[in-house]
Amino acid sequence: KLGNETIKAELGRSTWKLLHTMTARFPLEPTSEERTALKQWITLLSRLYPCGECAEHFQVLLKQYPPQTSSRDAASQWACAVHNKVNERLEKPMFDCSLVADMYQCGCDEEEGSEEV
Ligand code: FAD
């Protein structure tokens, strides 16, 4: 059982990392195709996420807090807020959403302002 919890937590950390990195690097001014793609990716993630209990809760959360895709800032703040909702339910500390833009780098240096790490 402890093993299962460890694996579930590892999957969660990896998934959050991908979601936050994708939204932190989402176009500043996305096209409607890009907006649709992000929304669909999040919806499909909530259907296919392999922890069934997590997927169920996530689908309920998405109904309450539909993905925001109008800009990079909207998307990354939305992802942070939704992660905080999950943190709240799991009794984990709230995260300061003003930190996400700096914290989630992609290592792809075509972006102005991105630093080699
Ligand atoms: P995580 O919550 O995995 O966060 C990883 C790191 O991200 C943190 O250390 C911190 O540096 C940073 N971070 C924390 N909060 C934020 C934020 N709001 N915005 C940006 N960065 C942040 N587990 C369950 O047991 N039950 C569930 O129902 C469940 N549902 C989940 C649903 C989804 C969609 C996902 C992706 C995961 C879910 N998990 C669930 C897993 C759970 O959220 C954690 O990933 C796991 O418990 C490991 O927690 P952690 O303390 O290492 O930090």
Side-chain angles (χ1 to χ4, degrees), residues 5 8-13 15-16 20 49 51 53-55 57-58 79-81 83-84 86-87 89-90 92-93 95 97 100 103-104:
E5 289 302 317
K8 183 159 80 173
E10 185 57 40
L11 177 66
R13 279 191 287 276
T15 305
W16 288 124
H20 293 306
Y49 194 72
C51 157
E53 166 212 359
C54 310
H57 286 129
F58 195 47
C80 184
H83 190 169
N84 270 338
V86 174
N87 288 341
R89 203 168 52 77
L90 300 177
K92 291 176 189 282
F95 186 86
C97 291
V100 289
M103 184 161 149
Y104 292 97

PDB file of all heavy atoms in Angstrom, residues 5 8-13 15-16 20 49 51 53-55 57-58 79-81 83-84 86-87 89-90 92-93 95 97 100 103-104, ligand 1:
ATOM      1  N   GLU A   5       1.046   4.268  -2.865  1.00  0.00           N
ATOM      2  CA  GLU A   5       0.954   5.706  -2.579  1.00  0.00           C
ATOM      3  C   GLU A   5       2.156   6.449  -3.146  1.00  0.00           C
ATOM      4  O   GLU A   5       2.038   7.555  -3.671  1.00  0.00           O
ATOM      5  CB  GLU A   5       0.846   5.954  -1.062  1.00  0.00           C
ATOM      6  CG  GLU A   5      -0.487   5.534  -0.454  1.00  0.00           C
ATOM      7  CD  GLU A   5      -1.691   6.243  -1.088  1.00  0.00           C
ATOM      8  OE1 GLU A   5      -1.630   7.455  -1.328  1.00  0.00           O
ATOM      9  OE2 GLU A   5      -2.702   5.557  -1.353  1.00  0.00           O
ATOM     10  N   LYS A   8       1.717   6.712  -6.919  1.00  0.00           N
ATOM     11  CA  LYS A   8       0.661   7.690  -7.237  1.00  0.00           C
ATOM     12  C   LYS A   8       1.189   9.119  -7.068  1.00  0.00           C
ATOM     13  O   LYS A   8       0.914   9.992  -7.899  1.00  0.00           O
ATOM     14  CB  LYS A   8      -0.551   7.448  -6.316  1.00  0.00           C
ATOM     15  CG  LYS A   8      -1.725   8.343  -6.606  1.00  0.00           C
ATOM     16  CD  LYS A   8      -3.038   7.783  -6.082  1.00  0.00           C
ATOM     17  CE  LYS A   8      -3.199   8.033  -4.596  1.00  0.00           C
ATOM     18  NZ  LYS A   8      -4.525   7.642  -4.101  1.00  0.00           N
ATOM     19  N   ALA A   9       1.972   9.330  -5.994  1.00  0.00           N
ATOM     20  CA  ALA A   9       2.529  10.661  -5.742  1.00  0.00           C
ATOM     21  C   ALA A   9       3.528  11.040  -6.833  1.00  0.00           C
ATOM     22  O   ALA A   9       3.548  12.180  -7.312  1.00  0.00           O
ATOM     23  CB  ALA A   9       3.201  10.696  -4.368  1.00  0.00           C
ATOM     24  N   GLU A  10       4.335  10.079  -7.252  1.00  0.00           N
ATOM     25  CA  GLU A  10       5.343  10.332  -8.300  1.00  0.00           C
ATOM     26  C   GLU A  10       4.663  10.697  -9.620  1.00  0.00           C
ATOM     27  O   GLU A  10       5.072  11.633 -10.319  1.00  0.00           O
ATOM     28  CB  GLU A  10       6.223   9.082  -8.450  1.00  0.00           C
ATOM     29  CG  GLU A  10       7.377   9.221  -9.411  1.00  0.00           C
ATOM     30  CD  GLU A  10       8.315  10.370  -9.057  1.00  0.00           C
ATOM     31  OE1 GLU A  10       8.596  10.570  -7.855  1.00  0.00           O
ATOM     32  OE2 GLU A  10       8.733  11.066  -9.988  1.00  0.00           O
ATOM     33  N   LEU A  11       3.605   9.974  -9.947  1.00  0.00           N
ATOM     34  CA  LEU A  11       2.835  10.276 -11.162  1.00  0.00           C
ATOM     35  C   LEU A  11       2.234  11.678 -11.060  1.00  0.00           C
ATOM     36  O   LEU A  11       2.249  12.446 -12.029  1.00  0.00           O
ATOM     37  CB  LEU A  11       1.727   9.228 -11.357  1.00  0.00           C
ATOM     38  CG  LEU A  11       0.794   9.468 -12.547  1.00  0.00           C
ATOM     39  CD1 LEU A  11       1.551   9.345 -13.859  1.00  0.00           C
ATOM     40  CD2 LEU A  11      -0.373   8.473 -12.507  1.00  0.00           C
ATOM     41  N   GLY A  12       1.724  12.010  -9.890  1.00  0.00           N
ATOM     42  CA  GLY A  12       1.141  13.330  -9.683  1.00  0.00           C
ATOM     43  C   GLY A  12       2.165  14.436  -9.880  1.00  0.00           C
ATOM     44  O   GLY A  12       1.920  15.391 -10.614  1.00  0.00           O
ATOM     45  N   ARG A  13       3.331  14.278  -9.263  1.00  0.00           N
ATOM     46  CA  ARG A  13       4.384  15.309  -9.404  1.00  0.00           C
ATOM     47  C   ARG A  13       4.789  15.490 -10.858  1.00  0.00           C
ATOM     48  O   ARG A  13       4.968  16.612 -11.329  1.00  0.00           O
ATOM     49  CB  ARG A  13       5.622  14.918  -8.580  1.00  0.00           C
ATOM     50  CG  ARG A  13       5.492  15.253  -7.103  1.00  0.00           C
ATOM     51  CD  ARG A  13       6.817  15.093  -6.373  1.00  0.00           C
ATOM     52  NE  ARG A  13       7.174  13.692  -6.202  1.00  0.00           N
ATOM     53  CZ  ARG A  13       6.737  12.926  -5.204  1.00  0.00           C
ATOM     54  NH1 ARG A  13       5.950  13.432  -4.271  1.00  0.00           N
ATOM     55  NH2 ARG A  13       7.087  11.661  -5.129  1.00  0.00           N
ATOM     56  N   THR A  15       3.018  14.824 -13.541  1.00  0.00           N
ATOM     57  CA  THR A  15       1.912  15.390 -14.327  1.00  0.00           C
ATOM     58  C   THR A  15       1.759  16.879 -14.055  1.00  0.00           C
ATOM     59  O   THR A  15       1.594  17.674 -14.990  1.00  0.00           O
ATOM     60  CB  THR A  15       0.597  14.646 -14.008  1.00  0.00           C
ATOM     61  OG1 THR A  15       0.806  13.251 -14.233  1.00  0.00           O
ATOM     62  CG2 THR A  15      -0.542  15.143 -14.862  1.00  0.00           C
ATOM     63  N   TRP A  16       1.825  17.248 -12.781  1.00  0.00           N
ATOM     64  CA  TRP A  16       1.738  18.684 -12.465  1.00  0.00           C
ATOM     65  C   TRP A  16       2.887  19.440 -13.123  1.00  0.00           C
ATOM     66  O   TRP A  16       2.704  20.529 -13.653  1.00  0.00           O
ATOM     67  CB  TRP A  16       1.763  18.919 -10.954  1.00  0.00           C
ATOM     68  CG  TRP A  16       0.521  18.514 -10.224  1.00  0.00           C
ATOM     69  CD1 TRP A  16       0.435  17.642  -9.164  1.00  0.00           C
ATOM     70  CD2 TRP A  16      -0.829  18.977 -10.447  1.00  0.00           C
ATOM     71  NE1 TRP A  16      -0.869  17.530  -8.742  1.00  0.00           N
ATOM     72  CE2 TRP A  16      -1.665  18.341  -9.503  1.00  0.00           C
ATOM     73  CE3 TRP A  16      -1.395  19.867 -11.358  1.00  0.00           C
ATOM     74  CZ2 TRP A  16      -3.045  18.568  -9.452  1.00  0.00           C
ATOM     75  CZ3 TRP A  16      -2.772  20.096 -11.297  1.00  0.00           C
ATOM     76  CH2 TRP A  16      -3.577  19.457 -10.362  1.00  0.00           C
ATOM     77  N   HIS A  20       2.154  22.493 -15.562  1.00  0.00           N
ATOM     78  CA  HIS A  20       2.606  23.859 -15.246  1.00  0.00           C
ATOM     79  C   HIS A  20       3.631  24.356 -16.256  1.00  0.00           C
ATOM     80  O   HIS A  20       3.656  25.542 -16.586  1.00  0.00           O
ATOM     81  CB  HIS A  20       3.189  23.919 -13.827  1.00  0.00           C
ATOM     82  CG  HIS A  20       2.171  23.697 -12.758  1.00  0.00           C
ATOM     83  ND1 HIS A  20       1.013  24.440 -12.660  1.00  0.00           N
ATOM     84  CD2 HIS A  20       2.115  22.804 -11.735  1.00  0.00           C
ATOM     85  CE1 HIS A  20       0.297  24.009 -11.617  1.00  0.00           C
ATOM     86  NE2 HIS A  20       0.946  23.024 -11.053  1.00  0.00           N
ATOM     87  N   TYR A  49      -6.298  10.085 -17.254  1.00  0.00           N
ATOM     88  CA  TYR A  49      -5.347  10.046 -16.141  1.00  0.00           C
ATOM     89  C   TYR A  49      -5.475   8.694 -15.438  1.00  0.00           C
ATOM     90  O   TYR A  49      -6.564   8.289 -15.033  1.00  0.00           O
ATOM     91  CB  TYR A  49      -5.629  11.199 -15.169  1.00  0.00           C
ATOM     92  CG  TYR A  49      -4.500  11.427 -14.192  1.00  0.00           C
ATOM     93  CD1 TYR A  49      -3.300  11.983 -14.612  1.00  0.00           C
ATOM     94  CD2 TYR A  49      -4.623  11.055 -12.852  1.00  0.00           C
ATOM     95  CE1 TYR A  49      -2.251  12.179 -13.727  1.00  0.00           C
ATOM     96  CE2 TYR A  49      -3.582  11.255 -11.960  1.00  0.00           C
ATOM     97  CZ  TYR A  49      -2.404  11.818 -12.407  1.00  0.00           C
ATOM     98  OH  TYR A  49      -1.352  12.005 -11.526  1.00  0.00           O
ATOM     99  N   CYS A  51      -4.806   7.324 -12.557  1.00  0.00           N
ATOM    100  CA  CYS A  51      -5.325   7.128 -11.197  1.00  0.00           C
ATOM    101  C   CYS A  51      -6.820   7.470 -11.251  1.00  0.00           C
ATOM    102  O   CYS A  51      -7.196   8.631 -11.426  1.00  0.00           O
ATOM    103  CB  CYS A  51      -4.569   8.036 -10.217  1.00  0.00           C
ATOM    104  SG  CYS A  51      -5.433   8.443  -8.688  1.00  0.00           S
ATOM    105  N   GLU A  53      -9.388   7.522  -9.176  1.00  0.00           N
ATOM    106  CA  GLU A  53      -9.938   8.411  -8.145  1.00  0.00           C
ATOM    107  C   GLU A  53      -9.537   9.867  -8.457  1.00  0.00           C
ATOM    108  O   GLU A  53     -10.350  10.790  -8.391  1.00  0.00           O
ATOM    109  CB  GLU A  53      -9.352   7.959  -6.785  1.00  0.00           C
ATOM    110  CG  GLU A  53      -9.514   8.917  -5.636  1.00  0.00           C
ATOM    111  CD  GLU A  53      -8.347   8.849  -4.627  1.00  0.00           C
ATOM    112  OE1 GLU A  53      -7.398   8.023  -4.801  1.00  0.00           O
ATOM    113  OE2 GLU A  53      -8.378   9.645  -3.681  1.00  0.00           O
ATOM    114  N   CYS A  54      -8.270  10.041  -8.846  1.00  0.00           N
ATOM    115  CA  CYS A  54      -7.771  11.391  -9.172  1.00  0.00           C
ATOM    116  C   CYS A  54      -8.507  11.938 -10.392  1.00  0.00           C
ATOM    117  O   CYS A  54      -8.909  13.113 -10.416  1.00  0.00           O
ATOM    118  CB  CYS A  54      -6.272  11.358  -9.499  1.00  0.00           C
ATOM    119  SG  CYS A  54      -5.268  10.503  -8.277  1.00  0.00           S
ATOM    120  N   ALA A  55      -8.685  11.090 -11.409  1.00  0.00           N
ATOM    121  CA  ALA A  55      -9.330  11.513 -12.657  1.00  0.00           C
ATOM    122  C   ALA A  55     -10.768  11.968 -12.360  1.00  0.00           C
ATOM    123  O   ALA A  55     -11.215  12.995 -12.880  1.00  0.00           O
ATOM    124  CB  ALA A  55      -9.318  10.376 -13.669  1.00  0.00           C
ATOM    125  N   HIS A  57     -12.047  13.129  -9.534  1.00  0.00           N
ATOM    126  CA  HIS A  57     -12.044  14.422  -8.851  1.00  0.00           C
ATOM    127  C   HIS A  57     -11.662  15.547  -9.813  1.00  0.00           C
ATOM    128  O   HIS A  57     -12.209  16.636  -9.754  1.00  0.00           O
ATOM    129  CB  HIS A  57     -11.047  14.410  -7.679  1.00  0.00           C
ATOM    130  CG  HIS A  57     -11.539  13.617  -6.521  1.00  0.00           C
ATOM    131  ND1 HIS A  57     -10.788  12.644  -5.914  1.00  0.00           N
ATOM    132  CD2 HIS A  57     -12.710  13.660  -5.846  1.00  0.00           C
ATOM    133  CE1 HIS A  57     -11.479  12.115  -4.924  1.00  0.00           C
ATOM    134  NE2 HIS A  57     -12.651  12.709  -4.856  1.00  0.00           N
ATOM    135  N   PHE A  58     -10.720  15.251 -10.665  1.00  0.00           N
ATOM    136  CA  PHE A  58     -10.242  16.280 -11.589  1.00  0.00           C
ATOM    137  C   PHE A  58     -11.356  16.684 -12.564  1.00  0.00           C
ATOM    138  O   PHE A  58     -11.530  17.868 -12.859  1.00  0.00           O
ATOM    139  CB  PHE A  58      -9.008  15.761 -12.333  1.00  0.00           C
ATOM    140  CG  PHE A  58      -8.204  16.831 -13.038  1.00  0.00           C
ATOM    141  CD1 PHE A  58      -7.871  18.016 -12.396  1.00  0.00           C
ATOM    142  CD2 PHE A  58      -7.762  16.637 -14.341  1.00  0.00           C
ATOM    143  CE1 PHE A  58      -7.115  19.000 -13.048  1.00  0.00           C
ATOM    144  CE2 PHE A  58      -7.011  17.619 -14.991  1.00  0.00           C
ATOM    145  CZ  PHE A  58      -6.693  18.794 -14.351  1.00  0.00           C
ATOM    146  N   ALA A  79      -4.030  26.901 -14.002  1.00  0.00           N
ATOM    147  CA  ALA A  79      -3.427  25.618 -13.598  1.00  0.00           C
ATOM    148  C   ALA A  79      -2.989  25.667 -12.140  1.00  0.00           C
ATOM    149  O   ALA A  79      -3.175  24.704 -11.384  1.00  0.00           O
ATOM    150  CB  ALA A  79      -2.238  25.279 -14.508  1.00  0.00           C
ATOM    151  N   CYS A  80      -2.430  26.790 -11.742  1.00  0.00           N
ATOM    152  CA  CYS A  80      -1.995  26.932 -10.351  1.00  0.00           C
ATOM    153  C   CYS A  80      -3.198  26.883  -9.404  1.00  0.00           C
ATOM    154  O   CYS A  80      -3.154  26.217  -8.365  1.00  0.00           O
ATOM    155  CB  CYS A  80      -1.223  28.242 -10.187  1.00  0.00           C
ATOM    156  SG  CYS A  80      -0.550  28.423  -8.529  1.00  0.00           S
ATOM    157  N   ALA A  81      -4.273  27.557  -9.780  1.00  0.00           N
ATOM    158  CA  ALA A  81      -5.470  27.585  -8.920  1.00  0.00           C
ATOM    159  C   ALA A  81      -6.079  26.194  -8.786  1.00  0.00           C
ATOM    160  O   ALA A  81      -6.477  25.778  -7.687  1.00  0.00           O
ATOM    161  CB  ALA A  81      -6.496  28.570  -9.491  1.00  0.00           C
ATOM    162  N   HIS A  83      -4.484  23.303  -9.177  1.00  0.00           N
ATOM    163  CA  HIS A  83      -3.562  22.504  -8.361  1.00  0.00           C
ATOM    164  C   HIS A  83      -3.765  22.849  -6.878  1.00  0.00           C
ATOM    165  O   HIS A  83      -3.786  21.959  -6.025  1.00  0.00           O
ATOM    166  CB  HIS A  83      -2.123  22.769  -8.819  1.00  0.00           C
ATOM    167  CG  HIS A  83      -1.088  21.864  -8.236  1.00  0.00           C
ATOM    168  ND1 HIS A  83       0.205  21.815  -8.712  1.00  0.00           N
ATOM    169  CD2 HIS A  83      -1.130  20.985  -7.202  1.00  0.00           C
ATOM    170  CE1 HIS A  83       0.901  20.933  -7.994  1.00  0.00           C
ATOM    171  NE2 HIS A  83       0.116  20.416  -7.073  1.00  0.00           N
ATOM    172  N   ASN A  84      -3.986  24.126  -6.590  1.00  0.00           N
ATOM    173  CA  ASN A  84      -4.245  24.507  -5.193  1.00  0.00           C
ATOM    174  C   ASN A  84      -5.546  23.889  -4.670  1.00  0.00           C
ATOM    175  O   ASN A  84      -5.635  23.557  -3.484  1.00  0.00           O
ATOM    176  CB  ASN A  84      -4.272  26.034  -5.039  1.00  0.00           C
ATOM    177  CG  ASN A  84      -2.894  26.597  -4.715  1.00  0.00           C
ATOM    178  OD1 ASN A  84      -2.017  25.869  -4.212  1.00  0.00           O
ATOM    179  ND2 ASN A  84      -2.687  27.873  -4.998  1.00  0.00           N
ATOM    180  N   VAL A  86      -6.640  20.958  -5.520  1.00  0.00           N
ATOM    181  CA  VAL A  86      -6.258  19.574  -5.192  1.00  0.00           C
ATOM    182  C   VAL A  86      -5.422  19.568  -3.908  1.00  0.00           C
ATOM    183  O   VAL A  86      -5.643  18.733  -3.022  1.00  0.00           O
ATOM    184  CB  VAL A  86      -5.505  18.915  -6.379  1.00  0.00           C
ATOM    185  CG1 VAL A  86      -4.989  17.531  -5.995  1.00  0.00           C
ATOM    186  CG2 VAL A  86      -6.418  18.812  -7.599  1.00  0.00           C
ATOM    187  N   ASN A  87      -4.517  20.522  -3.780  1.00  0.00           N
ATOM    188  CA  ASN A  87      -3.721  20.629  -2.539  1.00  0.00           C
ATOM    189  C   ASN A  87      -4.635  20.757  -1.320  1.00  0.00           C
ATOM    190  O   ASN A  87      -4.410  20.111  -0.287  1.00  0.00           O
ATOM    191  CB  ASN A  87      -2.803  21.860  -2.586  1.00  0.00           C
ATOM    192  CG  ASN A  87      -1.642  21.713  -3.553  1.00  0.00           C
ATOM    193  OD1 ASN A  87      -1.289  20.602  -3.944  1.00  0.00           O
ATOM    194  ND2 ASN A  87      -1.035  22.833  -3.938  1.00  0.00           N
ATOM    195  N   ARG A  89      -7.733  19.789  -0.955  1.00  0.00           N
ATOM    196  CA  ARG A  89      -8.438  18.541  -0.657  1.00  0.00           C
ATOM    197  C   ARG A  89      -7.517  17.523   0.005  1.00  0.00           C
ATOM    198  O   ARG A  89      -7.917  16.744   0.857  1.00  0.00           O
ATOM    199  CB  ARG A  89      -9.053  17.958  -1.932  1.00  0.00           C
ATOM    200  CG  ARG A  89     -10.217  17.034  -1.648  1.00  0.00           C
ATOM    201  CD  ARG A  89     -10.987  16.691  -2.907  1.00  0.00           C
ATOM    202  NE  ARG A  89     -10.123  16.213  -3.945  1.00  0.00           N
ATOM    203  CZ  ARG A  89      -9.613  14.988  -3.983  1.00  0.00           C
ATOM    204  NH1 ARG A  89      -9.904  14.123  -3.042  1.00  0.00           N
ATOM    205  NH2 ARG A  89      -8.828  14.637  -4.968  1.00  0.00           N
ATOM    206  N   LEU A  90      -6.228  17.530  -0.414  1.00  0.00           N
ATOM    207  CA  LEU A  90      -5.258  16.583   0.143  1.00  0.00           C
ATOM    208  C   LEU A  90      -4.564  17.151   1.388  1.00  0.00           C
ATOM    209  O   LEU A  90      -3.615  16.558   1.898  1.00  0.00           O
ATOM    210  CB  LEU A  90      -4.216  16.210  -0.926  1.00  0.00           C
ATOM    211  CG  LEU A  90      -4.778  15.549  -2.195  1.00  0.00           C
ATOM    212  CD1 LEU A  90      -3.652  15.288  -3.193  1.00  0.00           C
ATOM    213  CD2 LEU A  90      -5.521  14.256  -1.877  1.00  0.00           C
ATOM    214  N   LYS A  92      -2.638  19.730   1.682  1.00  0.00           N
ATOM    215  CA  LYS A  92      -1.269  20.180   1.423  1.00  0.00           C
ATOM    216  C   LYS A  92      -1.258  21.709   1.441  1.00  0.00           C
ATOM    217  O   LYS A  92      -2.298  22.334   1.225  1.00  0.00           O
ATOM    218  CB  LYS A  92      -0.791  19.685   0.051  1.00  0.00           C
ATOM    219  CG  LYS A  92      -0.573  18.172  -0.017  1.00  0.00           C
ATOM    220  CD  LYS A  92      -0.198  17.760  -1.431  1.00  0.00           C
ATOM    221  CE  LYS A  92      -0.181  16.258  -1.604  1.00  0.00           C
ATOM    222  NZ  LYS A  92       1.025  15.631  -1.050  1.00  0.00           N
ATOM    223  N   PRO A  93      -0.079  22.300   1.656  1.00  0.00           N
ATOM    224  CA  PRO A  93      -0.033  23.777   1.695  1.00  0.00           C
ATOM    225  C   PRO A  93      -0.411  24.430   0.362  1.00  0.00           C
ATOM    226  O   PRO A  93      -0.189  23.844  -0.697  1.00  0.00           O
ATOM    227  CB  PRO A  93       1.436  24.082   2.051  1.00  0.00           C
ATOM    228  CG  PRO A  93       2.183  22.812   1.939  1.00  0.00           C
ATOM    229  CD  PRO A  93       1.203  21.678   1.924  1.00  0.00           C
ATOM    230  N   PHE A  95       0.007  27.039  -2.660  1.00  0.00           N
ATOM    231  CA  PHE A  95       1.196  27.485  -3.378  1.00  0.00           C
ATOM    232  C   PHE A  95       0.957  28.919  -3.838  1.00  0.00           C
ATOM    233  O   PHE A  95      -0.154  29.274  -4.238  1.00  0.00           O
ATOM    234  CB  PHE A  95       1.408  26.551  -4.576  1.00  0.00           C
ATOM    235  CG  PHE A  95       2.684  26.801  -5.330  1.00  0.00           C
ATOM    236  CD1 PHE A  95       3.870  26.211  -4.923  1.00  0.00           C
ATOM    237  CD2 PHE A  95       2.685  27.618  -6.447  1.00  0.00           C
ATOM    238  CE1 PHE A  95       5.045  26.429  -5.619  1.00  0.00           C
ATOM    239  CE2 PHE A  95       3.865  27.842  -7.154  1.00  0.00           C
ATOM    240  CZ  PHE A  95       5.043  27.248  -6.732  1.00  0.00           C
ATOM    241  N   CYS A  97       0.844  31.541  -6.365  1.00  0.00           N
ATOM    242  CA  CYS A  97       0.747  31.493  -7.831  1.00  0.00           C
ATOM    243  C   CYS A  97       1.550  32.590  -8.533  1.00  0.00           C
ATOM    244  O   CYS A  97       1.723  32.538  -9.751  1.00  0.00           O
ATOM    245  CB  CYS A  97      -0.716  31.522  -8.270  1.00  0.00           C
ATOM    246  SG  CYS A  97      -1.590  30.004  -7.827  1.00  0.00           S
ATOM    247  N   VAL A 100       4.756  30.961 -10.448  1.00  0.00           N
ATOM    248  CA  VAL A 100       4.777  29.925 -11.498  1.00  0.00           C
ATOM    249  C   VAL A 100       5.555  30.323 -12.755  1.00  0.00           C
ATOM    250  O   VAL A 100       6.208  29.475 -13.363  1.00  0.00           O
ATOM    251  CB  VAL A 100       3.365  29.412 -11.904  1.00  0.00           C
ATOM    252  CG1 VAL A 100       2.739  28.580 -10.813  1.00  0.00           C
ATOM    253  CG2 VAL A 100       2.460  30.523 -12.347  1.00  0.00           C
ATOM    254  N   MET A 103       9.196  29.697 -12.081  1.00  0.00           N
ATOM    255  CA  MET A 103       9.566  28.366 -11.588  1.00  0.00           C
ATOM    256  C   MET A 103       9.545  27.301 -12.678  1.00  0.00           C
ATOM    257  O   MET A 103      10.332  26.366 -12.640  1.00  0.00           O
ATOM    258  CB  MET A 103       8.595  27.979 -10.478  1.00  0.00           C
ATOM    259  CG  MET A 103       8.925  26.667  -9.830  1.00  0.00           C
ATOM    260  SD  MET A 103       8.105  26.592  -8.251  1.00  0.00           S
ATOM    261  CE  MET A 103       7.823  24.840  -8.161  1.00  0.00           C
ATOM    262  N   TYR A 104       8.633  27.444 -13.653  1.00  0.00           N
ATOM    263  CA  TYR A 104       8.456  26.372 -14.630  1.00  0.00           C
ATOM    264  C   TYR A 104       9.096  26.737 -15.966  1.00  0.00           C
ATOM    265  O   TYR A 104       8.444  27.258 -16.860  1.00  0.00           O
ATOM    266  CB  TYR A 104       6.982  26.011 -14.769  1.00  0.00           C
ATOM    267  CG  TYR A 104       6.466  25.373 -13.503  1.00  0.00           C
ATOM    268  CD1 TYR A 104       5.784  26.112 -12.543  1.00  0.00           C
ATOM    269  CD2 TYR A 104       6.723  24.031 -13.243  1.00  0.00           C
ATOM    270  CE1 TYR A 104       5.344  25.525 -11.358  1.00  0.00           C
ATOM    271  CE2 TYR A 104       6.291  23.439 -12.057  1.00  0.00           C
ATOM    272  CZ  TYR A 104       5.601  24.191 -11.128  1.00  0.00           C
ATOM    273  OH  TYR A 104       5.185  23.614  -9.965  1.00  0.00           O
TER     274      TYR A 104
HETATM  275  P1  FAD B   1       2.569  18.012  -5.802  1.00  0.00           P
HETATM  276  O1  FAD B   1       1.188  18.440  -5.446  1.00  0.00           O
HETATM  277  O2  FAD B   1       2.723  16.851  -6.740  1.00  0.00           O
HETATM  278  O3  FAD B   1       3.329  19.266  -6.406  1.00  0.00           O
HETATM  279  C1  FAD B   1       4.648  19.139  -6.915  1.00  0.00           C
HETATM  280  C2  FAD B   1       5.380  20.455  -6.727  1.00  0.00           C
HETATM  281  O4  FAD B   1       4.689  21.466  -7.453  1.00  0.00           O
HETATM  282  C3  FAD B   1       5.374  20.957  -5.297  1.00  0.00           C
HETATM  283  O5  FAD B   1       6.445  20.417  -4.578  1.00  0.00           O
HETATM  284  C4  FAD B   1       5.495  22.459  -5.479  1.00  0.00           C
HETATM  285  O6  FAD B   1       6.843  22.820  -5.698  1.00  0.00           O
HETATM  286  C5  FAD B   1       4.746  22.706  -6.760  1.00  0.00           C
HETATM  287  N1  FAD B   1       3.366  23.145  -6.537  1.00  0.00           N
HETATM  288  C6  FAD B   1       2.527  22.848  -5.501  1.00  0.00           C
HETATM  289  N2  FAD B   1       1.354  23.447  -5.677  1.00  0.00           N
HETATM  290  C7  FAD B   1       1.430  24.139  -6.829  1.00  0.00           C
HETATM  291  C8  FAD B   1       0.527  24.971  -7.538  1.00  0.00           C
HETATM  292  N3  FAD B   1      -0.709  25.228  -7.084  1.00  0.00           N
HETATM  293  N4  FAD B   1       0.943  25.527  -8.705  1.00  0.00           N
HETATM  294  C9  FAD B   1       2.184  25.296  -9.163  1.00  0.00           C
HETATM  295  N5  FAD B   1       3.085  24.523  -8.547  1.00  0.00           N
HETATM  296  C10 FAD B   1       2.708  23.948  -7.388  1.00  0.00           C
HETATM  297  N6  FAD B   1      -3.462  12.355  -5.223  1.00  0.00           N
HETATM  298  C11 FAD B   1      -4.339  11.756  -4.392  1.00  0.00           C
HETATM  299  O7  FAD B   1      -3.918  11.127  -3.429  1.00  0.00           O
HETATM  300  N7  FAD B   1      -5.691  11.866  -4.601  1.00  0.00           N
HETATM  301  C12 FAD B   1      -6.205  12.563  -5.665  1.00  0.00           C
HETATM  302  O8  FAD B   1      -7.426  12.621  -5.849  1.00  0.00           O
HETATM  303  C13 FAD B   1      -5.293  13.187  -6.557  1.00  0.00           C
HETATM  304  N8  FAD B   1      -5.743  13.854  -7.648  1.00  0.00           N
HETATM  305  C14 FAD B   1      -4.849  14.335  -8.552  1.00  0.00           C
HETATM  306  C15 FAD B   1      -5.311  14.934  -9.720  1.00  0.00           C
HETATM  307  C16 FAD B   1      -4.433  15.378 -10.685  1.00  0.00           C
HETATM  308  C17 FAD B   1      -4.948  15.995 -11.952  1.00  0.00           C
HETATM  309  C18 FAD B   1      -3.033  15.243 -10.477  1.00  0.00           C
HETATM  310  C19 FAD B   1      -2.071  15.707 -11.528  1.00  0.00           C
HETATM  311  C20 FAD B   1      -2.568  14.664  -9.316  1.00  0.00           C
HETATM  312  C21 FAD B   1      -3.449  14.203  -8.344  1.00  0.00           C
HETATM  313  N9  FAD B   1      -3.003  13.602  -7.164  1.00  0.00           N
HETATM  314  C22 FAD B   1      -3.900  13.047  -6.307  1.00  0.00           C
HETATM  315  C23 FAD B   1      -1.580  13.620  -6.822  1.00  0.00           C
HETATM  316  C24 FAD B   1      -1.277  14.802  -5.888  1.00  0.00           C
HETATM  317  O9  FAD B   1      -1.828  16.024  -6.396  1.00  0.00           O
HETATM  318  C25 FAD B   1       0.236  15.039  -5.725  1.00  0.00           C
HETATM  319  O10 FAD B   1       0.842  15.152  -7.000  1.00  0.00           O
HETATM  320  C26 FAD B   1       0.937  13.956  -4.950  1.00  0.00           C
HETATM  321  O11 FAD B   1       0.268  13.731  -3.723  1.00  0.00           O
HETATM  322  C27 FAD B   1       2.403  14.362  -4.641  1.00  0.00           C
HETATM  323  O12 FAD B   1       2.355  15.548  -3.874  1.00  0.00           O
HETATM  324  P2  FAD B   1       3.573  16.487  -3.575  1.00  0.00           P
HETATM  325  O13 FAD B   1       3.415  16.928  -2.151  1.00  0.00           O
HETATM  326  O14 FAD B   1       4.863  15.846  -3.944  1.00  0.00           O
HETATM  327  O15 FAD B   1       3.387  17.787  -4.467  1.00  0.00           O
END
